[in-house]
Amino acid sequence: MGRVTGTSLITINMLSTSTQHLSDSGLSDRFHKRSLEHQRPLSTVTMAFTVVAFLCFVGARNLVGGATVPLAYRLSCALILGLLVLAIPRARSTWLFGAIGVAYSLVLVAGLALNIVGVSQPLLWIVPALVVVPICAAPLWLTPAHFFTGSVFFYAAALALLFDVPLGHDADIVVWMWVVAIGMPTSAVFHFGFYRFRRHHFLLESQLAQLAATDPLTGLQNRRAFVKQAERRLATLSAEAPVSAIFLDIDNFKSLNDRFGHAVGDHALYEVAQVLMDETAATDSVSRIGGEEFAVLLDSGLAGALELAERLREAIAVLERPDGHLTASFGVAEHRRGENIMVLLDRADEALLRAKHSGRNRVCAERALTSESLQLLADDVCADGEVVKRRHRWEEYFLTSHFQPLYSLSHQKQVGFEALLRGEQDDGTLVPPVVLFAPRPSSDEGALDRASHAVHLGNASRALPDDAWLFLNILPATFIAEGYADQLAKIVRTVGLEPERVILEILESHGGSVDDMSRAAALYRQHGFLIAVDDFGAGQSNLDRLLRIRPDLVKLDGELIRATSHGTNQPILPKLVSLLHQAGMLVVVEGVETTEELILAVESNVDFAQGYLLGRPAAEIAPPESVHRRIDEAFDVIASGRAHQYALFESEVEPYRVALRLAADALLAGVGMDEAFAPLAGFERCISCFILDGSGRQVGSEVPGPAWSKDGASLHPVADPRDARWDHRPYFRNAVLLPGVAVACNPYLSLASGRPCIAVTLAVQFAAGRSVIGVELDWSAVGLPWPAGE
C-alpha cells in the first residue's frame, strides 16, 4: 500500500509541476502562435468572401440613381482589400496578423462610405454592415487586444460616418439598438467564446503532447521525445557549435529495489531527476532514457560536459538511500560533425560502461585518439635514429602490424602489402584475432581503427620496400569522419611515406552512407591516396556501392574465386573481372590458397592476387622468389592447356559442323527442312535445327532434337524463337562474316530453353536471298569442354 502511495504522490507532484509549467509567461505567446496557424486559412477564406460581398455591394450601388463617387475609387478599395487578404498567409507574427485585420476593417469602412454617397436612404445600406461585419470578424481576431483595437477603430470610423447622416428620432433609436444593443454584445460573445474554446483546445493539446513526451515518474523527457528533440537540434547545428552528451546510470539500483521496495527506488529516481534539473541550464535537454539511465544534451565541448558531469556526480552522491548514499556512473562524448544522435549516445554509453567497469561513481570521457596522440604515435617510430618495431598499448594488449603481400600476376612480383592488426602479450605471444576484435563493453572500434593506422604506418616505413603499396584497412565510419583525410595525410608524410603509396581499403561494415563515402573519397584523392573497396560480393559491398564510390581497386571476396555457374560448374570469375575492368577498376582476388585457384586467377585476367599460397601475414617480409616461380608456372600451365582445351572443344563440335554442311547441301538441292535436318537432329545434344532469314528472323518451324524440352514453365512466354529477331547474336554475326564456313560460338544461356548452349551456324546463299542455318546444342552437361578463355 505504501509503495503505491509513494509512486502516486510523485506522479501527482509531477503533474502539478506540468500544470504549473503550462501557466508560465510564455504560454500566451505559444497559444497565439498556434492560433495563428489555425486562423490563417479561416481568415483568408472569410475575408476573401467579404471582398466578393463588397464587390456585389458596389455592383448594387451602380443600379441606383444619383450622384456617385467614381467607380475607380470604390474598386481601388476592393483591390486594397484583396491585397490585404493575400498578405494573410505571409503574416508570421501575431502583431502583423492583427495589423492586417485592423487595416482591413478601416479600408472596408472607407469603401462602405464611398459606396453610399448619393443614395437617398443611406441607413438601409450601412446599418446591416455595421452589425454583420463585427460579428463575422469577432472569431477571427487572435487576441482580445486585437479584438478591442479592431472594434474601436471600426466603430469609431463607422459612427463618424453615421453622424454625417441626418437621422430621425425613430431611426436614431433603431440604429443605436442594432449597433450597441445587438452588434457589439454579439461580437463580444462570439470573440470571447471562440477565444476560450481555442485556448482550452490548446491547453488540452499541450498537456497531451507533454504527457506523451514526459516520463510520468520523474517529469523529465522520455526517450522518444529526447531523441526527436536532439535530432532537430543537431540538424540545425552550425559547423563550429559544440554539443556534448552525458549518459549516467545509478549504481547498484537493482539492489535498492530488491532490498527496500520499488517505492524507495522510485523516490531515488525522482531525486536524481531533481538534481539534473537543478544543475543543468534551461537550454539543456534532460531525459530519463529508461530504467535508471538518464541522458543530458548540452551546448558545450567535451571539457565543459566533463565539468558538468562531475558536478552532477557530486550532487547525486549527497542523496541518501537506506543503506548509505546514492552514486552514479557517467559517460561523456562530444558530437562529431555528420554523426546522428544515436551514434553520439553510443559513444557516451561506451564511456559509461568503462566508468562502471572501472569501479563506479566516476566520470569517463569517450576514448578517442586525438590528432595529437596519433601524431605522437607516428613521431615515436624512430628512437635515437634507429628504426624500431612499433607497438602501442591497447587495454591489456600491445598492437602491432603483420603484412601480407599482394602480387601483380602479369608482372609476377610483389607490388603491395596489406597491413593487418595483431595483438601481442607482454612476452610477445600473439593474441588470436577473434579475441583481439571481440566486442567488449569497453571497446571503441573507431578509436582502435585510428590507432591501427598510426601503428601500421610507423611499421610500414620500417619494413616496406620503397616501390610497394601499403593497403590500409579503414572502417566506413572512420573514412567519412570530418577532417580525417587531412589528419591521415599528415601522419603518412610524418613517417616518411607519401599518400600515393597508400591504398585505403574500405572495409565491409556499417557506419556510413554511400553518398558520404563518395564525398569522402574525393577528399582522400586530393591528397593522393588510392581507394579500394574490400570484400566485394559480401554484405554491404554491392555493385551500386562500387559505381558511386568509384574505387581504384576492388578486392573480391575469397568465395567468388570458388563460385561457379549453376549446372555446368564453370567459374564466374572471368566474367566478373571483365565487368569490373569495363567499369574502370583494377581487380584483386583474395583468398588464393591452391595452385588451381592461382591458375584460375591468371586465366581470368585478374590484376593482383593475395592469399596463403602467395604469402601469409607476418611481421617480417619474406623473399618473394619462390612465389614468382609459382606464378610463372601458372602461366605455363595455362599456355599449354589452352591448345589442349581448344582441341577438345573442336573435336566435340566437328561432327555437328560436318552434319550442318550436309544439311545445307540438301536444302540447296530443294530437300525439305525436316528431311534435310533429320541427320543433324538425331544427335544426342541437339536441341533444335533452324533457319534464319537475312534480318535474323526464323523461317518456318524449328526441327526439334533429342535435347528438346518443354520443361521450365517460367520461360514459357519467351520459349518460342519464332517471335524474336536473332541477328544481334554472335552466332548469326560470325556466320555472316564467314559465309560458307560452319562456325561454333561460345556457350551462352539460351533464352528459349534456359540452359547453357552453343550454336553451330552456317551462312548459305539461297535463290531468295542469304540465310543462316544452324543447330542449337545443349552444353549444360558437366565435363563438356568449353572454348579456351571461357
Side-chain angles (χ1 to χ4, degrees):
M1 186 69 176
R3 186 176 301 178
V4 176
T5 303
T7 304
S8 301
L9 286 174
I10 293 173
T11 304
I12 292 170
N13 189 15
M14 184 277 296
L15 289 175
S16 65
T17 302
S18 300
T19 305
Q20 182 181 0
H21 179 72
L22 281 176
S23 62
D24 62 17
S25 59
L27 175 64
S28 293
D29 290 339
R30 294 196 304 274
F31 165 57
H32 292 149
K33 288 179 181 179
R34 183 66 170 164
S35 295
L36 179 61
E37 297 175 6
H38 291 162
Q39 291 289 92
R40 194 182 286 120
L42 176 62
S43 297
T44 302
V45 173
T46 305
M47 293 166 72
F49 174 77
T50 305
V51 176
V52 175
F54 179 77
L55 290 173
C56 294
F57 192 53
V58 172
R61 175 63 184 87
N62 288 339
L63 299 177
V64 179
T68 63
V69 174
L71 180 61
Y73 290 167
R74 289 177 285 152
L75 291 180
S76 64
C77 290
L79 176 61
I80 296 172
L81 293 174
L83 293 176
L84 290 172
V85 171
L86 295 177
I88 293 173
R90 295 169 176 79
R92 300 301 175 193
S93 62
T94 55
W95 72 266
L96 180 58
F97 187 83
I100 293 174
V102 172
Y104 188 93
S105 63
L106 292 177
V107 174
L108 184 59
V109 171
L112 294 174
L114 294 176
N115 213 45
I116 63 173
V117 172
V119 298
S120 58
Q121 297 290 334
L123 288 180
L124 295 178
W125 294 80
I126 195 67
V127 171
L130 296 182
V131 176
V132 173
V133 171
I135 293 175
C136 292
L140 304 181
W141 298 108
L142 285 183
T143 70
H146 292 177
F147 169 71
F148 284 124
T149 303
S151 297
V152 166
F153 277 104
F154 178 83
Y155 283 119
L159 293 178
L161 173 63
L162 286 177
F163 286 137
D164 291 336
V165 178
L167 302 175
H169 180 68
D170 293 345
D172 188 52
I173 293 175
V174 170
V175 167
W176 287 105
M177 181 188 69
W178 277 100
V179 173
V180 177
I182 298 177
M184 288 182 179
T186 304
S187 63
V189 170
F190 270 39
H191 171 74
F192 286 102
F194 198 67
Y195 183 83
R196 180 179 175 82
F197 169 78
R198 286 191 285 111
R199 183 178 174 83
H200 278 283
H201 181 272
F202 171 77
L203 289 174
L204 178 60
E205 186 182 60
S206 298
Q207 288 176 340
L208 291 176
Q210 184 173 11
L211 288 174
T214 303
D215 172 53
L217 179 63
T218 63
L220 300 177
Q221 283 181 318
N222 58 26
R223 180 187 182 93
R224 181 177 61 182
F226 176 79
V227 170
K228 187 175 181 180
Q229 184 185 60
E231 287 175 345
R232 291 197 303 267
R233 191 168 176 177
L234 295 181
T236 58
L237 191 67
S238 60
E240 65 280 356
V243 169
S244 297
I246 300 174
F247 224 150
L248 65 132
D249 185 288
I250 301 176
D251 296 328
N252 302 311
F253 183 76
K254 185 176 184 299
S255 68
L256 192 65
N257 278 333
D258 293 345
R259 294 174 60 189
F260 305 107
H262 287 278
V264 175
D266 291 345
H267 184 67
L269 291 172
Y270 180 76
E271 286 190 310
V272 170
Q274 292 303 307
V275 168
L276 294 179
M277 287 191 287
D278 291 342
E279 295 291 335
T280 55
T283 56
D284 298 337
S285 298
V286 185
S287 169
R288 181 188 175 197
I289 296 298
E292 66 273 23
E293 293 181 336
F294 298 83
V296 179
L297 191 70
L298 66 156
D299 294 326
S300 176
L302 187 62
L306 288 170
E307 183 180 342
L308 173 61
E310 187 60 34
R311 290 203 312 271
L312 293 172
R313 186 193 67 79
E314 293 174 355
I316 292 173
V318 175
L319 300 177
E320 294 184 355
R321 54 181 281 172
D323 55 351
H325 289 84
L326 287 172
T327 62
S329 300
F330 293 77
V332 183
E334 184 174 2
H335 178 257
R336 297 169 186 166
R337 186 176 178 184
E339 73 179 359
N340 59 38
I341 182 61
M342 299 312 298
V343 175
L344 174 61
L345 291 179
D346 284 344
R347 291 193 292 107
D349 190 35
E350 181 275 326
L352 167 63
L353 289 172
R354 280 192 287 109
K356 281 190 166 295
H357 283 277
S358 57
R360 297 188 177 90
N361 190 24
R362 64 192 61 205
V363 176
C364 283
E366 59 176 324
R367 186 182 59 192
L369 290 177
T370 63
S371 154
E372 291 77 12
S373 59
L374 283 175
Q375 197 64 52
L376 286 174
L377 284 174
D379 295 341
D380 202 26
V381 174
C382 295
D384 298 328
E386 180 182 357
V387 179
V388 297
K389 180 181 177 182
R390 176 71 226 159
R391 296 203 314 174
H392 173 64
R393 189 75 185 184
W394 187 264
E395 295 183 348
E396 65 269 32
Y397 310 127
F398 286 100
L399 301 181
T400 189
S401 307
H402 281 198
F403 298 100
Q404 185 174 26
L406 288 89
Y407 284 82
S408 167
L409 297 181
S410 297
H411 295 85
Q412 302 177 15
K413 71 172 186 178
Q414 288 177 348
V415 292
F417 297 84
E418 179 178 1
L420 301 169
L421 192 64
R422 294 292 183 262
E424 289 184 358
Q425 302 282 10
D426 292 340
D427 59 0
T429 305
L430 285 179
V431 177
V434 67
V435 175
L436 176 64
F437 298 108
R440 291 187 295 277
S442 61
S443 65
D444 184 342
E445 193 178 35
L448 179 61
D449 191 37
R450 293 186 291 276
S452 72
H453 297 161
V455 172
H456 291 328
L457 288 167
N459 287 325
S461 66
R462 169 189 65 85
L464 258 62
D466 292 338
D467 60 344
W469 281 318
L470 173 66
F471 284 75
L472 202 62
N473 293 327
I474 185 168
L475 290 170
T478 307
F479 187 73
I480 66 173
E482 183 71 20
Y484 193 67
D486 298 334
Q487 183 180 332
L488 187 60
K490 183 178 180 181
I491 297 175
V492 169
R493 294 188 173 95
T494 299
V495 301
L497 298 175
E498 290 298 326
E500 290 78 5
R501 289 185 56 194
V502 178
I503 298 178
L504 299 178
E505 188 174 326
I506 305 174
L507 295 174
E508 193 287 307
S509 173
H510 296 281
S513 69
V514 178
D515 289 336
D516 289 339
M517 286 190 280
S518 178
R519 285 189 289 268
L523 298 177
Y524 286 98
R525 287 194 174 98
Q526 289 177 4
H527 288 288
F529 290 106
L530 297 176
I531 308 296
V533 168
D534 190 33
D535 285 337
F536 174 70
Q540 305 294 312
S541 293
N542 51 46
L543 193 57
D544 174 66
R545 194 175 189 230
L546 293 187
L547 295 178
R548 294 172 69 181
I549 298 175
R550 290 289 176 182
D552 303 285
L553 297 92
V554 178
K555 298 189 78 172
L556 300 183
D557 181 67
E559 291 302 316
L560 288 178
I561 198 172
R562 291 175 279 276
T564 58
S565 58
H566 178 69
T568 63
N569 287 333
Q570 291 294 319
I572 66 171
L573 184 63
K575 297 295 186 185
L576 184 56
V577 172
S578 176
L579 172 65
L580 294 173
H581 280 169
Q582 290 181 38
M585 305 168 196
L586 298 176
V587 179
V588 183
V589 166
E590 297 182 296
V592 177
E593 298 180 356
T594 66
T595 301
E596 290 75 16
E597 290 173 350
L598 175 61
I599 292 172
L600 176 59
V602 173
E603 193 172 16
S604 301
N605 202 23
V606 165
D607 302 292
F608 309 107
Q610 175 184 3
Y612 282 179
L613 182 70
L614 306 177
R616 291 177 176 268
E620 303 297 332
I621 294 176
E625 286 75 15
S626 61
V627 179
H628 293 171
R629 289 193 298 272
R630 184 168 288 155
I631 297 174
D632 199 44
E633 289 169 359
F635 274 86
D636 292 339
V637 169
I638 293 170
S640 61
R642 190 174 291 117
H644 179 65
Q645 184 77 1
Y646 176 79
L648 287 177
F649 181 76
E650 289 299 312
S651 65
E652 190 72 32
V653 172
E654 184 59 26
Y656 297 98
R657 286 198 178 101
V658 172
L660 185 63
R661 286 192 286 266
L662 293 175
D665 293 339
L667 289 170
L668 288 170
V671 178
M673 278 184 62
D674 290 345
E675 184 179 349
F677 281 128
L680 184 57
F683 281 83
E684 178 185 0
R685 300 194 211 290
C686 176
I687 297 175
S688 66
C689 303
F690 55 85
I691 299 178
L692 305 178
D693 63 17
S695 65
R697 298 187 183 278
Q698 186 169 312
V699 177
S701 299
E702 66 274 13
V703 178
W708 175 272
S709 174
K710 289 294 186 182
D711 294 339
S714 62
L715 295 178
H716 178 72
V718 293
D720 191 347
R722 289 172 295 180
D723 296 339
R725 181 172 174 175
W726 305 102
D727 56 335
H728 65 296
R729 295 288 192 175
Y731 58 73
F732 183 93
R733 299 199 310 269
N734 293 339
V736 171
L737 291 174
L738 296 171
V741 179
V743 294
C745 72
N746 291 328
Y748 61 92
L749 187 66
S750 172
L751 189 61
S753 65
R755 289 174 285 175
C757 301
I758 67 169
V760 181
T761 50
L762 175 68
V764 180
Q765 188 67 38
F766 292 103
R770 184 186 62 190
S771 296
V772 172
I773 67 172
V775 57
E776 187 173 64
L777 307 176
D778 180 2
W779 220 250
S780 61
V782 177
L784 284 175
W786 283 45
E790 283 296 316

